[in-house]
Amino acid sequence: MTSWILQWSHGQGSVEASGAMLAPVTFMLPDGRQVQPFAVFPWAKEALPPGQPALTGLMANGRGEWPCVPFGGGPAPFDHPIHGWPAHDVWQRLDDGGDLAHMHLRYDFPADSPVDSVERLITGVDGQPEIQCRLRITVRRACALPLGLHPTLRLPERPGALRVTAGDFAFGITLPREHEPGADVLQPGAQFAALSHVPGAGGQSLDLSHLPLAQDTESLVQLCGSDGRMTVSNFDEGYAFALSWDATVLPSCLLWISNGGRQAWPWSGRHYALGVEPVCSYFDWGVDAGTASNPVSARGVATCVQLDPAQPLEFDYRMTVGSLTS
């Protein structure tokens, strides 16, 4: 599968043609150390075990950060794979590749889709351990879609060694049902005001601001009415990953806590990652749920974006890595 090199003064990584997925990326910190914060599916590119069906698209190649147009899939019928065709198919590169610090990619949707294309600009910022991205979505006809970004970070082995610092948000909610049957430690359909006190399935309060948890779990929470900031600090490796985005477009942030809870192949209890996912959606339940009334939209936080063929949607976001000083 084709991949392209991204290289600038303070980092180097790769972008896969499949899904336009960014990872791995090694950032050079001010103190001279190099760190790679992104998660890669542990089965990506491994040999297929005997008797197992071949993996394709997102499941075969999931890694790092990628855009989701539309975001999610959900229990209701939908006419696209989870997180949209661009997360599964091959993108085109529009620039000539002469500038290794900059990349311009495009995905063209099937002719029957209301979406025409999505473009992705990726730039390594000269002099900084930072990547800036721009997403441009053009539609053929007016439509409302949930949208999102999907940065996915490695979890350290030691419980609690990762600190999640959310910016301001209006309220947090847990998924109305178990995210993974028998392996979700959160109380379904609960609300909370701080990541440090999230209702657990057993009635206790759980601290989701420090990960990984000591117990295996597969859980999902949505921070609604976000100000577009999130910082994840890895104390075992001494760095912080900061994500900032346009909260007027993506007013929530999902936290996907994949803590060894999925046992079916290919997960096989070996996937440990944290998704920090800016979204305009209702969890990852897709178009039907995002465009209908739901507990998030009922409180005034949008869960879908109104797209206009006369005006492409364009927004920026950035990912910055820095040293921890304490």
Side-chain angles (χ1 to χ4, degrees):
M1 180 63 68
T2 300
S3 63
W4 301 292
I5 297 297
L6 179 71
Q7 184 174 336
W8 76 104
S9 63
H10 281 63
Q12 179 173 316
S14 64
V15 178
E16 300 284 323
S18 176
M21 294 188 176
L22 174 63
V25 180
T26 300
F27 294 83
M28 181 181 296
L29 301 182
D31 59 15
R33 291 182 300 119
Q34 297 184 357
V35 297
Q36 199 295 105
F38 292 114
V40 176
F41 282 175
W43 56 87
K45 300 186 189 294
E46 75 178 10
L48 186 68
Q52 294 291 353
L55 298 172
T56 60
L58 171 59
M59 281 304 296
N61 201 45
R63 62 190 57 229
E65 182 270 327
W66 69 92
C68 302
V69 183
F71 188 86
F78 56 95
D79 58 359
H80 58 87
I82 188 166
H83 295 323
W85 289 112
H88 296 260
D89 285 352
V90 173
W91 291 53
Q92 297 177 340
R93 185 164 184 176
L94 300 186
D95 64 287
D96 63 9
D99 181 359
L100 293 179
H102 178 78
M103 208 172 289
H104 186 185
L105 310 175
R106 186 181 71 202
Y107 178 79
D108 294 317
F109 281 72
D112 60 350
S113 172
V115 185
D116 179 69
S117 65
V118 56
E119 295 179 51
R120 175 158 157 81
L121 283 77
I122 306 170
T123 301
V125 179
D126 187 50
Q128 301 292 332
E130 177 176 294
I131 295 174
Q132 293 184 354
C133 297
R134 174 170 294 174
L135 206 65
R136 179 183 174 93
I137 301 169
T138 304
V139 297
R140 298 182 174 108
R141 56 184 182 272
C143 57
L145 295 175
L147 302 175
L149 309 171
H150 209 299
T152 309
L153 306 179
R154 294 186 299 111
L155 286 178
E157 292 185 6
R158 181 171 63 90
L162 203 75
R163 183 180 68 196
V164 183
T165 306
D168 293 335
F169 61 94
F171 61 96
I173 56 173
T174 65
L175 200 64
R177 55 170 170 78
E178 286 186 297
H179 189 43
E180 180 76 5
D184 192 337
V185 297
L186 301 182
Q187 180 186 127
Q191 296 191 15
F192 57 92
L195 277 174
S196 56
H197 295 84
V198 179
Q204 77 282 26
S205 179
L206 296 177
D207 182 2
L208 299 187
S209 68
H210 288 83
L211 300 170
L213 299 176
Q215 62 270 57
D216 292 344
T217 187
E218 189 77 18
S219 299
L220 197 66
V221 300
Q222 182 161 342
L223 308 182
C224 308
S226 169
D227 66 355
R229 296 179 297 123
M230 186 75 68
T231 301
V232 179
S233 303
N234 187 321
F235 287 97
D236 279 357
E237 298 182 35
Y239 70 87
F241 174 93
L243 173 66
S244 60
W245 68 93
D246 187 345
T248 65
V249 178
L250 306 176
S252 293
C253 186
L254 288 186
L255 294 180
W256 172 35
I257 302 167
S258 190
N259 214 88
R262 284 182 170 165
Q263 299 302 315
W265 186 84
W267 307 91
S268 303
R270 56 179 169 159
H271 187 252
Y272 290 85
L274 173 65
V276 183
E277 307 166 24
V279 297
C280 184
S281 72
Y282 181 58
F283 289 101
D284 59 353
W285 283 13
V287 177
D288 286 355
T291 55
S293 178
N294 58 66
V296 174
S297 63
R299 295 187 60 177
V301 177
T303 55
C304 63
V305 178
Q306 302 293 330
L307 297 166
D308 182 351
Q311 183 61 54
L313 174 68
E314 192 169 282
F315 61 92
D316 299 330
Y317 57 101
R318 65 180 60 195
M319 296 168 283
T320 308
V321 177
S323 301
L324 289 178
T325 57
S326 60

